[in-house]
Amino acid sequence: MTDPLKISKVIIQRDICIGAAPCTTIAPDAFELDDEGKAVLKDGWTNVDGKTVLEAAQSCPVNAIEVFDENGAQIHPAKG
């Protein structure tokens, strides 16, 4: 069995977010849309499985969600 993915930080780039909302479908306990139709992190998002949070971020069509692992390294979107 592999260790669970540990996420230390999630940043939503509001200027990039278009409110398509696949993140809210994949991880409804971690993401929601605010009054402006932009994705925001919900309180308690750290209780959501790291793999699910990453999958939700990867579903964003404009890569507006940055995800960092337990060591602070950005794992999505890939820096290259």
Side-chain angles (χ1 to χ4, degrees):
M1 189 165 121
T2 60
D3 290 335
L5 176 63
K6 293 182 177 83
I7 305 294
S8 66
K9 181 169 61 170
V10 174
I11 299 173
I12 301 170
Q13 300 293 334
R14 291 182 56 83
D15 58 327
I16 298 172
C17 179
I18 60 171
C23 59
T24 65
T25 301
I26 293 171
D29 292 333
F31 299 95
E32 66 185 351
L33 296 184
D34 66 9
D35 293 341
E36 295 177 28
K38 304 281 187 166
V40 293
L41 280 172
K42 294 174 86 171
D43 289 339
W45 72 268
T46 55
N47 297 323
V48 178
D49 176 69
K51 186 176 176 184
T52 302
V53 172
L54 178 59
E55 198 175 302
Q58 291 170 332
S59 74
C60 179
V62 293
N63 286 330
I65 304 170
E66 297 177 358
V67 180
F68 299 81
D69 70 12
E70 63 187 315
N71 298 315
Q74 184 170 330
I75 56 175
H76 180 78
K79 290 285 187 183

